[in-house]
Amino acid sequence: MKSITRKEEMIMLAIMALGSDAYLIAIQQYLSEITQKKVSLTSVHLPLSRLEDAMMILGKLGGATAVRGGRRKKIYSITSQGEVALEELKRISDALWNGAAI
Amino acid sequence: MPRPPHILETWLRRLLPDRDKESLPGDFAEMFHQIATTRNRFKALLWYLSHIFKLIPNHFIQQINSQWALFSHVVMASIRIISRQRLYMGITIIGMVLGLAIGLTTIGYMSYEASFEDHHEHKDRVYRINGRQYSPDGEDYSSQVMAPLGPEMKANIPGVEAAAIFRILGEVDLRLGEKGFIPDEQRHSQGYVHNSNCFCANTDFLNVFTLPLLVGDKQTVLEKPFSVLITESAAKEHFGDKDPMGQTVKLGPDLLCQITGILKDIPYNTQVHCNFIISWPTMSRLDPVVPTWDRLGNVHVYVKLKETALPANVAESISGIMENHLSAAKAAQYQFELQPLKSLYFDTFGSGRRGDLRPHGEKSMLWTLGIIGAAILLLAMLNFINLSTARATDRLKEVGLRKVIGASKSQLLRQFLGETLFIMILALLFSIIIYEGFKFWVTPQLERPMFADFYNNPRFVTGILTMVLSVTLAAGFYPAWIMAHRQPAVILQNRQSARSSKSMLRKSLVIFQFVIAIAFVGTTAIQYNQFKYLTSVALGFNSENILLLDLGEEHSADDVQRMKSHLQTGDQAVSVTKVSTPPGRDGIPYCILYKNAACTEEESIVSRVYDTDDDFFETFDIQLVKGRFFSEQRQTDFGNAILINESGVRALGTDDPIGMQLHSESGKSYHIVGVVKDFQGTTQYSFSSNISIIALRPERARTLAIQLPTGSTGEAIKAIKKTWDEQLPDEVFEYTFLEDEIKAMYDGLNEPTRIMVILSIMTMFMAGSGILGLVAFTARQKTKEIGIRKVMGASIGQIVYLLGREFIPLVLISMAIAIPLSYLGAQDMLNDYAVQAPINPLLFLTVGLTAMLIAVLAAAIQGVRAARANPIKAIQCE
């Protein structure tokens, strides 16, 4: 399995949190709120494409709004493969944290 | 609701990979909306643009990734084919290189011409003021107007942002210490037509025209009297490494000026090219004429309008200014127009205007060169088509195999077009080297640069790219299409169908090439013949040892007469005459005279006119045939008596012209007192007749022609210089020899001939290589036939004949078309000459035979190759 970077992990978690509204701009805004830092669109888009190529997430075209000039959103959701990868990451990081806490 | 501009969105979509084409533009639009509403639209636009730019490299990486295989394949295939078919590809590429080099030169010349005045930042808002005055004395149409008009326009017309006034100081003698600023050789060089080195201009000159200063502030450098600006290269030439700022320059005999600023070198492609600019307040000391509103002056006024101003309104407002200074009746005599800066260079009407700036471009020259360039490029393209369709048979197997394993037509098309592009780029590189070499070689021989550079002429670069791409498509598409549409089954079965329609096409292309080539060579031969004839024909007047002094319009007739009588006294001159323009110099004025007083057109003759005195005949050794010379002793001869040459007598249609009256349109009449032998006053231009009229009007003559004693020329010149320095102490002694001028004039004629010779050799080469391609094609088709004939004992000569015979009719057809064509063209061309060489039919025969020889040679080169091949290999089956 391909390794997942910290950024990719954050994005996947954001997708999970946002649920049915997980598209590029929503993810970017969610991340900048959480991190309290400016997050650029490209720095989100690139990992998203990589994750999509790795089949960790799945993009589906969703609804359009007037603000978007009638163009549809690409809504992302986590695939089962992605879930497995996330759980694995959580296990590793929990174990490491537990070790560090004792 | 703020939306990103449509065009940007289209661009964005183009740059995005397929999977993001739908969603990302939407995301971008949302982001744009967000930034636009929380901050402002401009910030949003910036954001949008910056993200588009970020996508560009990404896009190209993707493109190359997906097309790389095809790209590298095309390059590899092209290299293999070039190395496998060296002769073919060599001819193809050389033909293309020649064609492109000519095309490049043409585009280079045209883009340079079109680039005139381009570097001025506000060129679209700059206009020149032309004035027209209708007074009882006649009409004055001028590109120069009165000096105060400039400042008044700036002060009174709200639409005028800046008004430059300037004069060109042709006669000013700038000196650094005792050394002349303008070297003596340069003064002597005839045909130095570019604007004189030195301008006198006001401060706004630097605001209207974009002439950057390296040192100095443009608002103050030209403010004070006796200030002078110098260009960087002129400073380097005259001061070397010394700092030129603050140095003193002598202007004329006694005015001292100080250098207050250094200009960046002014490019040649502007009419305001100069090396020195003297401040306008200095003018009052140079030429102390009180500025008057009473007539159109002699100052150039250029204005820069505000962006909102309309030139027509500004022109109207000038009348208001005139009314402030003149009575209503006087003011009504004037009319002004604003001429856009960009239109000045190609304004052919300029010659009808007083004081127009030079240089001028000639649209007709541009057209002629453009057509010649296009014709040669067309030949190169046809050559390419011819050679590559002939070559196509060699690659049938390749095409068949590619198709069998699944290549689509469009893929094959792309592959063959790609190969063409590869060859074109290769040819372009060579032709750029040729162009640069040509430019390097020719520029020092020209009066000013005439060819564009790559680095500063966007028109040139776009022109080249357009040319290369269109030639690629035009020349590559047909062969590529033919190849891509072959039926694979037919090809692989080895049934090579030689469809006659295609060979018809190839044949007609060859005919076309030969028609152009023969017509070109024929015309060149006639031109060359004419040139030879001109140099061989006797001038009919004495040009040896004649020294010319040009005194110019600013001298009165009395000055010239005084000079003449001083020159006559010593033994420095055998004879001296005053003349308006000496025979043998270019640009002799002509006039129209009428046989009847009513001045009807049928009764008119067009003639060159020499206004002179009675020493003309002795100095130039002109022979009298009938009647008498005019004489200054007879008062009635002045402005009345004329002599006419024999051609003129023929044109008048009379045996005894003595005593005849000729009338001019202005109502004057002249009286023929004698007939002189024909002489060749000039070589060509505007009218074909060789009619000359010599009139006793010494007051119009400003040139002194001095016949020097043979053997002591040097001493005589020294003596003449002494006389000059006594009589005209303020002026530099300048002279020319008539023989040099005549030689320069012939050299000027020779130049186009030389270019034509080069071009015709090229057209012949291309026509020849067209034949070469065709022979190769037939040889390929008749491989088996040739093999069998050889086995049966045919000689190489017989086989070459077999292959070459079908081209002889082609060349004959081309000759039949081209010779009448070039005959007509030549006659048209010869009409420009005063003396015409007879056209020798043998000339055409020679040209035709040369073409035939080239065709035979081309056929033989390829034929011998085919004939020497091993016959066993040819007749072997499978």
Side-chain angles (χ1 to χ4, degrees):
Chain A
M1 201 193 352
K2 274 187 185 168
S3 65
I4 288 174
T5 64
R6 175 92 183 120
K7 184 104 195 177
E8 285 164 352
E9 184 189 353
M10 281 164 71
I11 287 171
M12 281 168 81
L13 291 170
I15 291 172
M16 279 174 97
L18 287 164
S20 64
D21 197 33
Y23 74 106
L24 182 64
I25 294 201
I27 298 170
Q28 180 232 0
Q29 272 163 1
Y30 179 81
L31 285 180
S32 41
E33 266 166 44
I34 298 256
T35 55
Q36 303 277 308
K37 273 180 202 155
K38 232 176 155 180
V39 178
S40 87
L41 219 51
T42 32
S43 74
V44 180
H45 180 250
L46 223 65
L48 271 175
S49 312
R50 260 203 314 267
L51 287 168
E52 204 181 356
D53 288 340
M55 309 274 276
M56 297 286 181
I57 58 173
L58 187 71
K60 267 191 192 148
L61 290 177
T65 59
V67 171
R68 300 177 58 83
R71 299 200 187 282
R72 288 183 290 166
K73 294 172 181 173
K74 197 173 190 179
I75 310 282
Y76 293 96
S77 58
I78 309 285
T79 61
S80 53
Q81 204 181 331
E83 270 170 38
V84 173
L86 271 180
E87 269 161 27
E88 175 71 9
L89 275 177
K90 185 167 164 42
R91 189 189 62 75
I92 294 171
S93 103
D94 281 352
L96 285 171
W97 272 112
N98 286 337
I102 292 168
Chain B
M1 190 174 61
R3 294 264 298 118
H6 188 71
I7 174 125
L8 288 183
E9 196 153 54
T10 323
W11 270 99
L12 176 69
R13 272 172 65 79
R14 199 166 291 167
L15 290 170
L16 288 172
D18 280 341
R19 66 165 178 204
D20 289 331
K21 270 204 179 12
E22 174 69 20
S23 62
L24 261 189
D27 294 328
F28 271 47
E30 207 177 321
M31 212 52 198
F32 183 89
H33 175 80
Q34 221 175 73
I35 299 172
T37 43
T38 54
R39 278 184 278 174
N40 60 48
R41 231 191 115 80
F42 181 68
K43 282 255 164 67
L45 207 65
L46 273 185
W47 178 90
Y48 205 94
L49 272 174
S50 73
H51 276 72
I52 287 184
F53 279 120
K54 277 183 199 164
L55 282 168
I56 289 173
N58 204 11
H59 171 75
F60 277 107
I61 290 167
Q62 276 175 17
Q63 280 288 312
I64 291 172
N65 266 338
S66 63
Q67 304 277 322
W68 177 251
L70 180 67
F71 177 74
S72 58
H73 178 80
V74 165
V75 172
M76 274 311 289
S78 310
I79 291 172
R80 277 188 199 138
I81 280 155
I82 290 173
S83 55
R84 199 183 308 147
Q85 303 181 324
R86 274 187 219 108
L87 179 70
Y88 271 151
M89 296 311 285
I91 293 169
T92 316
I93 292 176
I94 291 174
M96 238 340 148
V97 168
L98 293 181
L100 283 186
I102 296 289
L104 219 62
T105 315
T106 315
I107 297 177
Y109 172 74
M110 288 170 124
S111 349
Y112 190 78
E113 291 287 287
S115 74
F116 258 75
E117 315 295 353
D118 251 3
H119 69 278
H120 299 299
E121 204 181 325
H122 304 294
K123 53 180 180 283
D124 304 327
R125 293 195 271 138
V126 175
Y127 295 84
R128 181 174 70 194
I129 312 291
N130 291 331
R132 209 189 269 272
Q133 182 189 13
Y134 304 93
S135 68
D137 307 331
E139 186 187 328
D140 183 15
Y141 186 30
S142 165
S143 55
Q144 294 171 326
V145 291
M146 45 287 260
L149 187 63
E152 288 267 324
M153 280 178 76
K154 191 181 175 185
N156 297 327
I157 305 176
V160 177
E161 193 177 307
I165 54 177
F166 64 94
R167 270 181 72 179
I168 297 169
L169 304 176
E171 302 299 322
V172 163
D173 192 16
L174 264 178
R175 279 164 190 277
L176 169 70
E178 283 309 305
K179 196 174 132 231
F181 240 110
I182 302 162
D184 280 351
E185 320 75 273
Q186 204 168 324
R187 284 173 171 281
H188 282 303
S189 72
Q190 281 300 309
Y192 184 77
V193 293
H194 207 277
N195 290 338
S196 151
N197 259 334
C198 183
F199 278 37
C200 184
N202 67 346
T203 301
D204 261 356
F205 187 72
L206 301 177
N207 292 329
V208 172
F209 300 106
T210 305
L211 307 169
L213 278 167
L214 294 175
V215 185
D217 173 26
K218 75 173 182 177
Q219 300 308 338
T220 56
V221 280
L222 287 176
E223 222 171 23
K224 294 199 185 83
F226 313 119
S227 311
V228 57
L229 301 183
I230 183 169
T231 57
E232 200 184 357
S233 59
K236 193 143 198 159
E237 185 186 333
H238 298 296
F239 296 100
D241 294 332
K242 255 201 299 184
D243 181 16
M245 287 296 285
Q247 296 281 349
T248 313
V249 164
K250 216 196 240 170
L251 186 59
D254 53 358
L255 276 186
L256 289 176
C257 293
Q258 217 172 33
I259 295 178
T260 52
I262 300 169
L263 284 163
K264 216 172 136 204
D265 280 352
I266 300 169
Y268 280 97
N269 51 355
T270 170
Q271 289 189 327
V272 291
H273 173 85
C274 60
N275 282 329
F276 304 93
I277 302 175
I278 296 168
S279 65
W280 186 257
T282 324
M283 198 68 219
S284 58
R285 288 292 303 275
L286 285 172
D287 187 11
V289 180
V290 185
T292 169
W293 289 90
D294 232 12
R295 61 191 143 82
L296 290 172
N298 51 4
V299 171
H300 292 277
V301 176
Y302 285 62
V303 292
K304 181 166 84 179
L305 301 188
K306 290 188 179 134
E307 267 164 66
T308 48
L310 287 173
N313 295 349
V314 173
E316 229 167 82
S317 316
I318 301 176
S319 328
I321 295 178
M322 297 308 292
E323 278 159 21
N324 291 343
H325 295 276
L326 293 169
S327 68
K330 272 244 159 184
Q333 287 182 351
Y334 292 95
Q335 252 179 27
F336 293 93
E337 65 187 20
L338 270 70
Q339 194 180 14
L341 181 65
K342 267 302 266 185
S343 77
L344 295 183
Y345 182 64
F346 280 117
D347 188 9
T348 41
F349 199 60
S351 51
R353 217 181 277 122
R354 178 166 64 81
D356 225 39
L357 283 184
R358 292 208 278 179
H360 268 298
E362 265 189 68
K363 277 241 164 87
S364 64
M365 184 71 177
L366 235 58
W367 276 109
T368 317
L369 273 180
I371 289 168
I372 291 178
I376 294 206
L377 203 56
L378 184 70
L379 278 190
M381 271 157 61
L382 294 182
N383 214 17
F384 187 90
I385 293 175
N386 218 342
L387 286 168
S388 39
T389 43
R391 200 164 48 92
T393 41
D394 285 344
R395 302 186 63 186
L396 283 177
K397 284 232 168 74
E398 179 194 338
V399 174
L401 213 59
R402 278 178 194 275
K403 283 198 142 186
V404 166
I405 57 170
S408 69
K409 276 178 193 165
S410 72
Q411 273 174 321
L412 282 174
L413 208 64
R414 240 187 295 170
Q415 188 210 332
F416 288 121
L417 274 180
E419 280 180 27
T420 310
L421 187 64
F422 181 80
I423 293 170
M424 287 296 298
I425 289 171
L426 210 65
L428 181 66
L429 291 180
F430 284 115
S431 61
I432 285 175
I433 295 172
I434 293 180
Y435 173 74
E436 286 295 322
F438 172 72
K439 208 171 71 177
F440 183 75
W441 170 72
V442 84
T443 306
Q445 306 178 27
L446 299 172
E447 293 143 5
R448 59 180 175 92
M450 286 174 84
F451 297 97
D453 295 317
F454 291 96
Y455 53 86
N456 62 7
N457 201 319
R459 264 200 206 84
F460 187 31
V461 177
T462 351
I464 293 169
L465 290 180
T466 323
M467 173 176 80
V468 167
L469 288 179
S470 51
V471 170
T472 305
L473 279 179
F477 191 79
Y478 176 71
W481 193 81
I482 293 264
M483 299 240 239
H485 282 73
R486 291 289 175 105
Q487 289 296 322
V490 178
I491 298 167
L492 293 178
Q493 265 178 1
N494 220 356
R495 269 195 279 135
Q496 299 185 355
S497 61
R499 274 189 286 160
S500 59
S501 69
K502 267 166 216 151
S503 93
M504 267 307 287
L505 176 92
R506 271 192 285 277
K507 280 181 184 169
S508 36
L509 287 185
V510 165
I511 290 179
F512 184 75
Q513 285 182 318
F514 266 90
V515 167
I516 294 189
I518 293 173
F520 226 102
V521 176
T523 322
T524 310
I526 288 167
Q527 171 104 43
Y528 187 72
N529 190 35
Q530 169 72 22
F531 174 67
K532 278 272 164 254
Y533 182 76
L534 276 181
T535 44
S536 71
V537 85
L539 287 168
F541 65 90
N542 172 39
S543 63
E544 267 173 58
N545 256 341
I546 288 184
L547 183 130
L548 302 174
L549 296 176
D550 292 308
L551 273 84
E553 290 300 322
E554 66 276 12
H555 292 285
S556 69
D558 292 342
D559 280 352
V560 184
Q561 178 54 42
R562 192 156 40 91
M563 191 75 190
K564 180 187 167 184
S565 22
H566 277 283
L567 287 170
Q568 272 172 325
T569 48
D571 53 0
Q572 50 198 328
V574 177
S575 77
V576 186
T577 181
K578 296 182 287 181
V579 63
S580 48
T581 316
R585 176 178 277 184
D586 242 346
I588 297 168
Y590 60 93
C591 71
I592 304 170
L593 290 174
Y594 302 86
K595 280 191 265 178
N596 56 356
C599 300
T600 48
E601 204 172 315
E602 311 86 68
E603 300 282 278
S604 67
I605 58 165
V606 182
S607 164
R608 273 189 278 278
V609 192
Y610 303 92
D611 289 319
T612 181
D613 55 26
D614 55 6
D615 287 318
F616 182 82
F617 308 101
E618 193 198 334
T619 312
F620 291 107
D621 191 20
I622 303 233
Q623 307 290 325
L624 187 71
V625 177
K626 223 183 236 179
R628 62 172 177 91
F629 290 130
F630 49 60
S631 161
E632 283 179 77
Q633 310 305 319
R634 304 190 189 205
Q635 274 307 310
T636 48
D637 274 3
F638 279 95
N640 176 30
I642 55 172
L643 280 99
I644 193 162
N645 66 351
E646 288 168 312
S647 300
V649 176
R650 276 196 295 280
L652 288 172
T654 163
D655 286 337
D656 187 25
I658 310 293
M660 240 175 112
Q661 296 270 346
L662 292 178
H663 307 269
S664 79
E665 225 162 313
S666 60
K668 273 198 173 153
S669 66
Y670 301 92
H671 190 100
I672 300 178
V673 298
V675 177
V676 294
K677 261 200 170 152
D678 272 350
F679 57 97
Q680 320 303 334
T682 186
T683 51
Q684 68 173 123
Y685 299 126
S686 13
F687 64 107
S688 56
S689 73
N690 190 28
I691 304 170
S692 294
I693 279 173
I694 307 155
L696 183 63
R697 290 189 293 201
E699 72 283 357
R700 297 197 179 192
R702 291 289 184 281
T703 299
L704 287 168
I706 305 152
Q707 165 90 61
L708 301 180
T710 38
S712 54
T713 333
E715 286 155 42
I717 292 175
K718 259 181 223 148
I720 292 169
K721 183 178 184 328
K722 197 162 155 264
T723 317
W724 175 286
D725 289 342
E726 282 163 16
Q727 296 302 317
L728 303 162
D730 293 348
E731 274 177 63
V732 181
F733 177 61
E734 287 178 64
Y735 65 89
T736 53
F737 276 101
L738 184 56
E739 275 184 313
D740 293 344
E741 286 198 23
I742 293 173
K743 195 176 162 296
M745 190 157 70
Y746 283 134
D747 284 350
L749 285 177
N750 195 8
E751 203 58 34
T753 318
R754 265 165 51 190
I755 295 173
M756 291 273 282
V757 168
I758 296 173
L759 292 180
S760 44
I761 290 173
M762 285 173 59
T763 53
M764 271 294 173
F765 172 83
M766 286 183 198
S769 63
I771 290 261
L772 203 70
L774 255 181
V775 176
F777 178 71
T778 16
R780 181 87 41 187
Q781 299 237 293
K782 296 186 175 168
T783 318
K784 288 214 169 119
E785 185 188 336
I786 293 169
I788 293 168
R789 279 175 190 270
K790 274 197 85 173
V791 171
M792 306 296 272
S795 69
I796 289 181
Q798 279 167 321
I799 287 166
V800 171
Y801 171 70
L802 169 81
L803 288 170
R805 69 175 169 201
E806 58 174 311
F807 303 109
I808 292 170
L810 296 188
V811 178
L812 286 176
I813 294 172
S814 322
M815 272 164 73
I817 302 173
I819 288 177
L821 261 179
S822 55
Y823 181 77
L824 289 177
Q827 279 215 312
D828 195 45
M829 191 174 68
L830 290 188
N831 276 341
D832 285 348
Y833 291 89
V835 208
Q836 297 169 10
I839 297 177
N840 192 342
L842 233 94
L843 209 72
F844 287 107
L845 206 69
T846 324
V847 172
L849 282 178
T850 316
M852 190 68 86
L853 191 76
I854 286 170
V856 168
L857 217 74
I861 291 175
Q862 191 61 33
V864 166
R865 247 167 84 113
R868 286 177 60 181
N870 187 353
I872 305 296
K873 275 194 182 147
I875 38 182
Q876 208 172 28
C877 267
E878 260 76 57

